[in-house]
Amino acid sequence: MALLSSDLIRQGAAGASTGYTIDNSYFNSAISRSFMTADTGGSFAGNKTFTYSFWTKKINDDAYITGNNRNVVLGSFYGSNNRYDSLQFNGNQLEFSSRSGGASTSTGSGLTIFKTNRVFRDVAAWYHIVIAVDTTKDTPDERVRLFINGERETDFGTENIPAKDTLFYSFGDQVEMNVGTFQDNDYGSSYNHIYYDGYFAEFHGLDGYAYDASYFGEFDDNGIWIPKEYSESYGTHGFYLEFKDSSSLGSDTSGQNNDFTLRNIGSDHQSTDTPTNNKITFNAMNNQRGGGTVYEGALSYYGPGTRTMIGTTGGPFPTSGKWAVAISAAQISTDVGWSYGLQKADDADMGDAAGSNEDVGAGTGGANMTPQSSDGYYYNYSTSTATDPSLPLANDDEFWLAVDIDSGKYWFGIYDTSASGYKWVAADAGLDGDPGAGSNETGSLTGLQNNTGNFEFVFSSKQSSQILTLLREADLSGAVPTGFTYWENVKDLI
């Protein structure tokens, strides 16, 4: 299970020394084949000088996306003969390529400009990526530069430095600039369209300028890389995507009016999960042997036909405080095969094959809730105690878990939308539990107090129709219990 990263910028834990914050992001969905595209117009011409700068947070390991171990971030595409520049995570290594090894009007072979030795698997992290290209430079090493979280990357498994004055497709004339894939699928099914599964924030594209990472970010007093406001020019085909208008996520706010057309992207793809306010999501890397699927910004999860478990990101609970989380479920009928609850972060069951030992908490003395006969059924594996209240469930209910780490108590319950109120389950199977008052708890767990047992929230799901959705506080029908913090913002855990 994931632990808190010591690289706190990737967890969004720091405040910017300049006071600069990023309010919005957007998530690109591979399962929905979503992307953004913009046509530069004019007659074809390549380009020698440009910069991409953006923040991104992956949703899935590359192997889970397309079946070919690639996760394409962006691309620039010309014509109908598969000519493009592309940036992708290939086997979780970052790779920048140009089809034909430099812009051309004729079809050529692909050339990898660079591919990192370092891998990028952290789906709880925001990465800042800058690619600065200027092939007019006399010094070969200065023609293509890559920066990750403010540091220049120089350790490459593959590197082909372009010759002086080599042309690329990026920001050229009569080129399609794409975010979330490398080419527009208007060119037909004969091309291998590969899409990105991840979040984007603060996306700058500079035409005619090759700037390093210091133009877009800075190190704070703790040595953590944080964003700062960019104040320079963008060039003719340049753009700035802030994703601040949910009804027009592709709007260019650079002043150049190079807006992007949205493909399979709705207003619900906007998010407040950003590099300056990183949020909890389902963690595909905590998936029980990759048995299930996360999607919709890593806020929805379903199993593969046999029940599998998945953990939330951000690591185990802090060692103090009161925390609450809520989910919705697509189905609540008899034996629907999903559950949620508390389980230790080092539980060996998470490494089992999908469909084996998949009951949340069973291997670690934890606790879970699962529907039985459309009622809530609760089990404490620490005390081998079942609680079976008369608690009818409906599809539009919210399913809650509140945990008081200071006392070791927990409460399972629902927000009953039909009655516009909570029903918290007590240990005696009554519905008079009260997390806010700290009374009539569902139970307690050995090792939950001060979290010496290293617990965290864990969820399980069985089939694709049994979708669990991790709810954001802004989308809740009910209020968070008095004195509790909603389990959403990573910075609350630091």
Side-chain angles (χ1 to χ4, degrees):
M1 311 296 273
L3 300 178
L4 286 175
S5 172
S6 60
D7 186 359
L8 295 183
I9 180 55
R10 299 189 303 161
Q11 296 289 354
S17 59
T18 59
Y20 188 70
T21 59
I22 300 174
D23 294 328
N24 295 111
S25 66
Y26 115 89
F27 67 85
N28 200 79
S29 172
I31 200 169
S32 300
R33 301 168 68 89
S34 62
F35 66 99
M36 298 184 179
T37 185
D39 192 338
T40 60
S43 300
F44 175 74
N47 191 24
K48 302 176 183 178
T49 308
F50 58 90
T51 303
Y52 292 110
S53 169
F54 58 92
W55 291 81
T56 190
K57 175 180 173 180
K58 297 176 74 177
I59 290 174
N60 270 302
D61 182 273
D62 296 352
Y64 299 166
I65 305 301
T66 64
N68 58 12
N69 209 33
R70 289 192 288 169
N71 203 352
V72 175
V73 178
L74 59 85
S76 297
F77 187 77
Y78 169 73
S80 59
N81 289 322
N82 218 13
R83 287 161 286 181
Y84 58 84
D85 300 335
S86 72
L87 178 69
Q88 63 184 343
F89 290 103
N90 186 347
N92 296 302
Q93 297 163 284
L94 193 60
E95 177 181 275
F96 182 50
S97 300
S98 183
R99 186 75 178 184
S100 77
S104 171
T105 56
S106 62
T107 304
S109 60
L111 178 67
T112 298
I113 307 302
F114 64 71
K115 184 177 182 180
T116 63
N117 278 318
R118 184 152 62 120
V119 296
F120 302 88
R121 292 194 178 98
D122 195 342
V123 295
W126 277 96
Y127 298 106
H128 182 222
I129 297 173
V130 176
I131 298 176
V133 174
D134 186 353
T135 62
T136 68
K137 295 285 189 181
D138 291 323
T139 304
D141 285 349
E142 295 301 304
R143 292 175 192 153
V144 178
R145 294 174 294 162
L146 170 66
F147 300 85
I148 308 291
N149 291 341
E151 300 283 356
R152 184 170 179 181
E153 192 80 10
T154 58
D155 184 16
F156 298 107
T158 302
E159 184 177 21
N160 290 291
I161 298 173
K164 191 173 187 296
D165 295 321
T166 293
L167 295 170
F168 285 83
Y169 297 103
S170 297
F171 301 91
D173 294 335
Q174 203 179 6
V175 167
E176 287 193 1
M177 302 285 290
N178 298 309
V179 174
T181 189
F182 67 94
Q183 65 187 57
D184 189 331
N185 60 11
D186 283 348
Y187 288 104
S189 59
S190 60
Y191 296 103
N192 189 15
H193 306 291
I194 306 170
Y195 303 89
Y196 187 53
D197 224 18
Y199 288 83
F200 289 108
E202 196 77 358
F203 204 124
H204 298 278
L206 313 183
D207 178 11
Y209 306 94
Y211 291 155
D212 63 37
S214 67
Y215 284 77
F216 312 97
E218 60 189 343
F219 289 102
D220 71 3
D221 293 339
N222 297 314
I224 296 170
W225 185 252
I226 56 178
K228 75 176 186 181
E229 186 174 9
Y230 174 75
S231 58
E232 305 297 327
S233 300
Y234 285 88
T236 301
H237 299 313
F239 58 86
Y240 176 30
L241 302 177
E242 294 183 84
F243 315 118
K244 64 181 182 180
D245 183 352
S246 64
S247 66
S248 184
L249 288 171
S251 291
D252 169 27
T253 57
S254 71
Q256 297 300 109
N257 297 315
N258 293 320
D259 296 337
F260 281 68
T261 299
L262 307 183
R263 301 294 177 88
N264 302 317
I265 297 170
S267 60
D268 58 336
H269 283 232
Q270 187 188 54
S271 175
T272 55
D273 188 341
T274 74
T276 54
N277 191 23
N278 195 17
K279 292 180 180 291
I280 299 295
T281 56
F282 286 131
N283 186 347
M285 301 303 290
N286 282 355
N287 199 337
Q288 188 183 47
R289 291 202 177 177
T293 301
V294 298
Y295 65 108
E296 294 299 324
L299 295 178
S300 292
Y301 166 71
Y302 62 81
T306 57
R307 190 160 55 190
T308 58
M309 293 187 294
I310 192 166
T312 50
T313 63
F317 297 140
T319 56
S320 64
K322 301 177 181 180
W323 305 88
V325 67
I327 62 171
S328 64
Q331 291 187 0
I332 52 84
S333 58
T334 302
D335 193 27
V336 293
W338 63 262
S339 65
Y340 70 103
L342 294 160
Q343 182 162 300
K344 291 182 180 179
D346 57 358
D347 189 346
D349 286 352
M350 289 299 290
D352 290 336
S356 61
N357 300 319
E358 71 281 359
D359 290 325
V360 172
T364 59
N368 73 28
M369 176 270 178
T370 189
Q372 287 193 9
S373 301
S374 299
D375 280 1
Y377 180 86
Y378 306 86
Y379 199 87
N380 183 325
Y381 288 94
S382 180
T383 60
S384 299
T385 302
T387 305
D388 191 6
S390 177
L391 183 60
L393 306 177
N395 289 86
D396 55 356
D397 289 336
E398 294 173 353
F399 302 94
W400 281 76
L401 175 56
V403 178
D404 182 350
I405 299 178
D406 298 327
S407 68
K409 299 177 181 178
Y410 65 86
W411 292 259
F412 282 103
I414 67 168
Y415 183 82
D416 185 346
T417 54
S418 64
S420 299
Y422 284 105
K423 294 177 181 177
W424 294 100
V425 177
D428 62 1
L431 300 178
D432 56 349
D434 191 342
S439 61
N440 299 333
E441 64 273 11
T442 312
S444 60
L445 292 173
T446 302
L448 184 57
Q449 187 174 16
N450 301 321
N451 202 23
T452 58
N454 202 25
F455 284 98
E456 66 174 73
F457 292 124
V458 176
F459 307 81
S460 73
S461 181
K462 185 176 181 180
Q463 297 174 6
S464 59
S465 59
Q466 294 165 7
I467 300 166
L468 303 182
T469 299
L470 189 63
L471 298 176
R472 293 300 191 211
E473 186 171 4
D475 299 324
L476 297 172
S477 297
V480 179
T482 301
F484 283 72
T485 300
Y486 194 69
W487 186 260
E488 177 171 281
N489 300 314
V490 174
K491 64 185 179 182
D492 291 337
L493 312 178
I494 306 301

